[in-house]
Amino acid sequence: KYGITATSLKHLIESSDILLLCVRPMQVGALAAEMAHLGAGKKKIFSIAAGLTIDYYRSVFGANSEIVRVMPNVASGVG
């Protein structure tokens, strides 16, 4: 109905140009390490995890990795 397909993390990384890292900060370490092992450092990575710096992500994914931190503000309103 929605066109959503379950896949492996490896396939997801190989077939994507942009990766969204949307987990709790305490979950980032293990997931980022696995993603880095699978080559995610060659992709653009967007993260919403609070408290983790660009330098942290570069230490995991590589110094030349493209990282964007996005800070959602659930208290803001539109309109």
Side-chain angles (χ1 to χ4, degrees):
K1 180 178 178 179
Y2 297 105
I4 299 170
T5 304
T7 188
S8 69
L9 183 58
K10 180 181 180 191
H11 182 260
L12 175 74
I13 291 170
E14 290 172 351
S15 62
S16 300
D17 295 322
I18 298 172
L19 302 171
L20 304 177
L21 186 54
C22 303
V23 296
R24 296 181 184 272
M26 64 186 211
Q27 298 169 314
V28 169
L31 178 59
E34 185 176 357
M35 289 173 65
H37 177 72
L38 296 171
K42 299 173 187 166
K43 309 291 182 162
K44 291 176 180 68
I45 301 169
F46 286 68
S47 172
I48 66 164
L52 299 172
T53 65
I54 298 287
D55 288 337
Y56 167 78
Y57 288 108
R58 288 199 172 136
S59 73
V60 176
F61 294 112
N64 294 321
S65 57
E66 297 181 68
I67 309 294
V68 177
R69 290 181 63 215
V70 180
M71 295 295 110
N73 184 350
V74 294
S76 69
V78 177

